């Protein structure tokens, strides 16, 4: 399949590698000469314009970082007008469902699928990145061979936009888990138990969780927040905004998320 790829950074680059290894014809956007050389070394064709990555593509995969970047690429550039009728745009960025709605409204003859991801570059390299996918049944079915190059499980959770909603709930809950863990560590320290001791012991009993399993190897909650705080924080900000639009807040989740002040709040 002919694939256009935009956003070949920390997460996108290993996706490109997996797609090339699977035999797909990948045309990837590189913003600098060095990045284009890196993409060519992976076996992709590298271009420096959004339209060049999209013009011949059966599917364009988009993996930028922020909502603003997504809007720039999809709403303020030549991407959508350049894509062939009947092609598909897959958005891997975690963003606001409102942005996905705006992109889909602008897409005309292009099928839009939102597929925010959960995991890291090591999961992509192993082909086990979790994808929360929103889109029409037939479009998602057509794209499974592409997404399956790096995604497993591929969770089709509803129509276009549903992937973002599920991922945002997931990230709010994950942030809440980290907040609870930070509070538990502070309780332990007040009792005279070092954080390192708690992180070594708690995964072996009923207090264990996915969050604890991720944090424990890093040695401290602080270390985890320093690395991942920006990623989780941007998504929590989107969830708070959506809740405010609904005339609500995050309730008890908000309280524990605010508790993450060991190395700055996410």
């Amino acid at each position: 399949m002919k694939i256009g790829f935009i956003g070949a950074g920390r997460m996108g680059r290993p996706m490109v590698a997996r797609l090339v290894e699977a035999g797909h014809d990948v045309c990837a956007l590189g913003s600098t000469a060095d990045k284009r050389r890196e993409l060519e070394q992976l076996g992709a064709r590298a271009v420096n314009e959004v339209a060049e990555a999209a013009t011949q593509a059966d599917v364009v995969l988009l993996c930028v970082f922020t909502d603003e970047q997504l809007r720039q690429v999809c709403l303020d550039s030549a991407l959508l007008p350049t894509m062939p009728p009947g092609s598909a745009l897959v958005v891997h960025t975690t963003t606001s469902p409102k942005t996905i709605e705006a992109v889909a409204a602008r897409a005309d003859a292009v099928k839009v699928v939102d597929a925010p991801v959960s995991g890291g570059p090591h999961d992509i390299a192993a082909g086990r990145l979790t994808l929360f996918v929103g889109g029409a049944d037939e479009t998602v079915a057509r794209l499974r061979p592409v997404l399956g190059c790096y995604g497993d499980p591929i969770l089709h959770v509803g129509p276009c936009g549903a992937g973002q909603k599920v991922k945002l709930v997931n990230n709010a809950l994950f942030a809440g888990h980290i907040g609870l863990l930070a509070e538990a560590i502070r309780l332990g320290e007040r009792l005279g138990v070092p954080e390192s001791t708690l992180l070594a012991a708690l995964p072996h009993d009923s207090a264990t969780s996915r969050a604890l399993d991720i944090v424990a190897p890093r040695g401290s909650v602080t270390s985890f927040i320093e690395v991942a705080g920006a990623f989780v924080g941007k998504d929590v900000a989107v969830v708070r905004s959506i809740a405010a639009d609904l005339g609500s807040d995050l309730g008890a989740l908000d309280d524990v998320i605010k508790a993450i002040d060991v190395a700055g709040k996410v």
Side-chain angles (χ1 to χ4, degrees), residues 4 24 29 47 50 62 82-83 85 87 100 110 124 129 138 149 155 179 192 195 212 225 237 245-246:
H24 294 290
L29 178 68
V47 296
V50 167
L62 185 56
T82 305
M83 293 178 64
S87 61
I100 296 298
V110 173
I124 299 170
L129 191 68
E138 62 275 15
C149 291
L155 304 171
E195 181 175 16
L212 181 54
I225 294 174
D245 289 344
L246 295 172

Side-chain angles (χ1 to χ4, degrees), residues 234-259:
K234 73 180 182 67
D235 298 341
V236 169
V238 174
V239 175
R240 284 193 172 117
S241 174
I242 293 171
D245 289 344
L246 295 172
S248 181
D249 56 30
L250 301 185
L253 271 178
D254 213 21
D255 293 336
V256 292
I257 290 171
K258 289 175 181 176

Side-chain angles (χ1 to χ4, degrees), residues 19 24 39 42 45 47 96 127 134 139 156 163 170 180 218 221 233 235 247 253 256 263 266:
L19 291 164
H24 294 290
L39 291 168
L42 294 176
R45 291 182 294 114
V47 296
S96 169
T139 305
H156 187 190
N170 174 86
L180 286 173
R218 296 189 177 277
V221 176
D235 298 341
L253 271 178
V256 292
V266 299

Side-chain angles (χ1 to χ4, degrees), residues 6-199:
I6 299 170
R10 175 177 174 269
M11 296 288 284
R13 193 177 298 109
M15 289 180 182
V16 169
R18 293 282 298 190
L19 291 164
V20 170
E21 289 170 5
H24 294 290
D25 179 4
V26 182
C27 182
L29 178 68
S31 57
T32 67
D34 287 343
K35 290 182 179 179
R36 288 192 290 274
R37 278 194 294 271
E38 290 176 4
L39 291 168
E40 288 169 354
Q41 288 171 356
L42 294 176
R45 291 182 294 114
V47 296
N48 61 2
E49 295 290 341
V50 167
E52 291 181 85
T55 186
Q56 300 293 325
D58 300 307
V59 55
V60 172
L61 304 174
L62 185 56
C63 192
V64 295
F65 183 57
T66 66
D67 184 272
E68 181 182 1
Q69 291 170 339
L70 178 60
R71 285 181 169 273
Q72 288 175 349
V73 171
C74 293
L75 304 178
D76 300 328
S77 79
L79 174 64
L80 289 172
T82 305
M83 293 178 64
S87 61
L89 173 67
V90 177
V91 178
H92 283 317
T93 305
T94 300
T95 187
S96 169
K98 288 184 177 180
T99 298
I100 296 298
E101 290 176 7
V103 172
R106 187 78 64 86
D108 196 16
V110 173
K111 308 296 184 181
V112 177
V113 170
D114 64 311
V117 306
S118 181
H122 59 290
D123 296 306
I124 299 170
R128 59 168 186 259
L129 191 68
T130 298
L131 304 181
F132 300 107
V133 182
D137 292 350
E138 62 275 15
T139 305
V140 174
R142 176 162 60 94
L143 294 175
R144 277 188 180 273
V146 173
L147 301 179
C149 291
Y150 45 82
D152 184 18
I154 299 169
L155 304 171
H156 187 190
V157 296
C160 183
Q164 299 296 338
K165 295 172 183 177
V166 173
K167 177 64 191 306
L168 289 169
V169 171
N170 174 86
N171 280 18
L173 182 56
F174 179 70
H177 286 172
I178 299 298
L180 286 173
L181 179 57
E183 284 295 290
I185 293 298
R186 282 193 280 275
L187 171 62
E189 290 175 338
R190 288 195 297 271
L191 294 172
V193 183
E195 181 175 16
S196 59
T197 300
L198 289 168
L199 291 179

Side-chain angles (χ1 to χ4, degrees), residues 214-234:
I214 292 172
V215 170
R218 296 189 177 277
S220 72
V221 176
T222 301
S223 295
F224 173 79
I225 294 174
E226 287 174 346
V227 172
F231 292 91
V232 180
K234 73 180 182 67

